[in-house]
Amino acid sequence: MTTTETAGRRLSTDELRQLFLFEQLDDTQLDWIATRGWAVTRPAGDTVYTEGEPATCFVVLLSGTISLSRNIRGDDVEFSRTDQKGVYGGATQAYLGDQVPQLYNNTMHAITDAEVYELPAAEFGPTIRQWFPMAMHLLEGLFFGMRSSNNAVAERERLLALGSLSAGLTHELNNPAAAAVRATAVLRDKIAGMRHKLALIADGRLNGEQLHGLVELQEAAVKKAANAPKRTALETSDAEDAVGDWLDDHDVSSAWDLAPTLVAGGVDTAWLQDIADGIGDLDLEPAVRWLSYTIETELLMGEIDDAVARISGLVSAAKQYSQLDRGPFQIVDVHELLDATLIMLNAKIPQGIRVVTHYDRDLPTIPAYAAELNQVWTNLIDNAVSAMQGTGTLTITTRLDDTDCLAVDITDTGTGIPPEVRPRIFEPFFTTKPVGEGTGLGLDISYRIVVKKHHGDIRVSSEPGSTTFTVLLPLHEAV
């Protein structure tokens, strides 16, 4: 917008003094403003200035009703409407000069026929600095100080989140790694014991046919261990008692020690009887112990395999979460990002909180900044977990929204967000957490990532026992 001199009228100093913004200025200053600005009539429905365009005018409302709006995903979202005489907008940062981009940061619409006073920003900004040097220094310090503080705290927020996730990942990796180390140590001892039992069996007391039969039983033991049935604690106890009694009846020592391993490998008394029939009572104990070692080695190798697979899965999830080996902007499956985030946050989710996912697997992939979306999921899930205070249900749902966007709903069963607080939750530094527990930047960062970077939207609905944050992401890249 530019000053429209031919369509406007000059205001007298008395008229300007009636505006609260100018009422304390002296006559010289009012004369300067009176000779530089113009009162312009804007018909209802007219756009006074448009967001993103060069900020050429400082605008003051003289009469009528105007609204201010922001462009969100191609739509004008109104955030203020007023008919108060003297309110202002437009080039409100003109006093900062070329220290910041001089663009309109919102759009002003005339709701009714309105008259506004327009001052050219190129002249108004430098003059204000001359008139109020101390005030300008204070405002400049506040502006850049807040921006610097915002950046510093945001960086600190990211570092804290990274530290927390690293600690959680280390904890998650430690469990399977320790299990693999323990299983490997035990496996080494069992293999040594099995070699010893093999030497006892093959010292000449078994003929070739008996030895061949024992090897077949060993192969059968391996298959039994791989397909051992799942038993309840009571069923396991009963099976161990039955196997232990059978071993005692056949004079096999330390039956109490062998029975749990044999039962874990799917062995029952009928199978043990087959061993006794094929080997004979004289060599039964060494044969049973040898087969017990076989079963235990299979179980230990399975445990090692599970542990290594768990470690591999965690490393894969960490790579998916960080996106370090991928481009910042890519085509992504939102479900993979959500799953990776849940794995990374697993250590922070208390046992009393149940996680439920309702994924629409038919949803298409979307263009996105994957690592930054993971930060959004982290912030929203962390807030949801905190709101439930150790007990509740976290539900994550994906669906296609009516606005032709992919929607992700993150719902918790916490106490809810009070109505008086809800309008402020996306404000920087606003937090309801105790001092030291929150910076108030999590939702602000999430909002900026979703709305400004992805041209999407983030909404919240809340009542006691159910709070849902909905993230809307366009299916196609914004042009």
Side-chain angles (χ1 to χ4, degrees):
M1 183 193 70
T2 57
T3 303
T4 51
E5 298 185 11
T6 56
R9 65 182 181 88
R10 299 287 190 184
L11 294 189
S12 67
T13 56
D14 289 337
E15 289 177 294
L16 288 172
R17 200 181 296 278
Q18 294 175 12
L19 302 173
F20 67 83
L21 194 63
F22 303 137
E23 62 184 359
Q24 298 299 321
L25 298 182
D26 60 34
D27 292 339
T28 302
Q29 293 167 333
L30 286 173
D31 283 338
W32 187 94
I33 291 176
T35 57
R36 295 321 192 271
W38 296 84
V40 180
T41 299
R42 298 285 183 174
D46 193 17
T47 299
V48 182
Y49 60 78
T50 303
E51 178 182 357
E53 293 184 353
T56 58
C57 282
F58 180 79
V59 179
V60 183
L61 179 64
L62 299 176
S63 65
T65 302
I66 53 96
S67 71
L68 297 179
S69 62
R70 296 287 302 274
N71 185 288
I72 298 178
R73 203 166 27 88
D75 294 329
D76 262 351
V77 178
E78 182 179 314
F79 63 88
S80 178
R81 179 179 293 212
T82 183
D83 59 359
Q84 182 182 353
K85 183 178 180 180
V87 296
Y88 55 89
T92 56
Q93 296 175 3
Y95 68 92
L96 293 172
D98 58 6
Q99 297 180 86
V100 298
Q102 291 296 331
L103 301 174
Y104 292 120
N105 57 18
N106 53 55
T107 298
M108 181 182 289
H109 295 283
I111 303 301
T112 66
D113 290 346
E115 188 177 32
V116 296
Y117 192 67
E118 300 178 356
L119 277 168
E123 297 181 66
F124 180 65
T127 301
I128 288 296
R129 293 186 66 88
Q130 294 175 7
W131 287 354
F132 311 106
M134 182 176 178
M136 291 301 101
H137 285 308
L138 290 174
L139 283 174
E140 187 177 283
L142 178 64
F143 179 86
F144 290 108
M146 285 291 291
R147 189 164 71 175
S148 176
S149 174
N150 195 343
N151 291 338
V153 175
E155 186 66 27
R156 178 64 175 170
E157 178 94 352
R158 295 187 184 96
L159 288 173
L160 289 173
L162 179 61
S164 178
L165 289 174
S166 298
L169 181 61
T170 302
H171 174 77
E172 292 292 313
L173 286 170
N174 182 65
N175 291 335
V181 170
R182 181 196 61 79
T184 302
V186 176
L187 180 61
R188 185 178 291 109
D189 292 339
K190 296 305 176 183
I191 290 176
M194 190 166 64
R195 289 197 301 266
H196 177 65
K197 295 303 176 187
L198 179 60
L200 293 177
I201 291 172
D203 64 357
R205 289 179 292 177
L206 293 177
N207 59 37
E209 185 179 348
Q210 289 174 315
L211 186 59
H212 182 72
L214 188 60
V215 171
E216 289 181 350
L217 287 172
Q218 185 184 34
E219 291 299 321
V222 170
K223 292 179 180 179
K224 275 187 171 294
N227 299 288
K230 299 293 184 183
R231 292 187 171 99
T232 65
L234 182 59
E235 291 171 340
T236 300
S237 177
D238 290 342
E240 289 176 359
D241 288 341
V243 170
D245 290 342
W246 188 96
L247 294 174
D248 285 334
D249 292 343
H250 289 76
D251 299 323
V252 177
S253 61
S254 303
W256 59 271
D257 189 32
L258 295 173
T261 299
L262 294 172
V263 170
V267 171
D268 55 19
T269 55
W271 195 73
L272 289 172
Q273 190 61 52
D274 289 340
I275 296 177
D277 295 342
I279 299 299
D281 290 341
L282 182 63
D283 298 305
L284 180 60
E285 181 166 341
V288 169
R289 289 190 178 277
W290 183 40
L291 295 176
S292 175
Y293 284 132
T294 298
I295 291 172
E296 191 160 8
T297 55
E298 284 299 311
L299 295 175
L300 288 168
M301 284 189 289
E303 187 176 336
I304 292 171
D305 185 60
D306 289 343
V308 173
R310 173 65 176 158
I311 292 172
S312 177
L314 286 168
V315 172
S316 177
K319 289 177 65 179
Q320 176 69 256
Y321 182 84
S322 65
Q323 299 286 314
L324 289 177
D325 58 344
R326 306 182 186 188
F329 191 75
Q330 56 187 288
I331 303 300
V332 301
D333 183 342
V334 169
H335 304 112
E336 293 180 357
L337 304 184
L338 289 166
D339 286 341
T341 303
L342 286 172
I343 291 173
M344 294 294 290
L345 292 175
N346 184 60
K348 296 184 66 177
I349 299 177
Q351 292 294 322
I353 292 179
R354 186 168 65 102
V355 179
V356 178
T357 57
H358 298 299
Y359 291 166
D360 181 357
R361 295 292 184 178
D362 294 329
L363 289 175
T365 55
I366 61 171
Y369 295 89
E372 296 191 43
L373 278 186
N374 284 337
Q375 188 175 4
V376 173
W377 313 142
T378 299
N379 291 337
L380 296 181
I381 292 172
D382 186 59
N383 282 350
V385 169
S386 176
M388 289 184 281
Q389 299 179 348
T391 304
T393 301
L394 172 68
T395 305
I396 301 177
T397 304
T398 61
R399 56 185 173 83
L400 190 64
D401 189 69
D402 294 338
T403 59
D404 198 30
C405 285
L406 187 151
V408 178
D409 298 321
I410 298 179
T411 304
D412 67 73
T413 56
T415 56
I417 304 172
E420 65 272 14
V421 168
R422 203 170 305 161
R424 300 190 59 196
I425 59 175
F426 293 108
E427 292 181 11
F429 304 106
F430 178 78
T431 179
T432 58
K433 296 179 181 178
V435 175
E437 292 188 16
T439 60
L441 286 178
L443 290 178
D444 171 56
I445 291 171
S446 299
Y447 182 87
R448 285 189 278 118
I449 290 173
V450 172
V451 175
K452 296 194 178 292
K453 201 150 192 178
H454 289 85
H455 307 288
D457 197 7
I458 181 168
R459 303 169 182 172
V460 61
S461 61
S462 182
E463 61 184 28
S466 179
T467 296
T468 299
F469 279 87
T470 298
V471 174
L472 298 174
L473 298 168
L475 298 178
H476 308 287
E477 183 177 356
V479 179

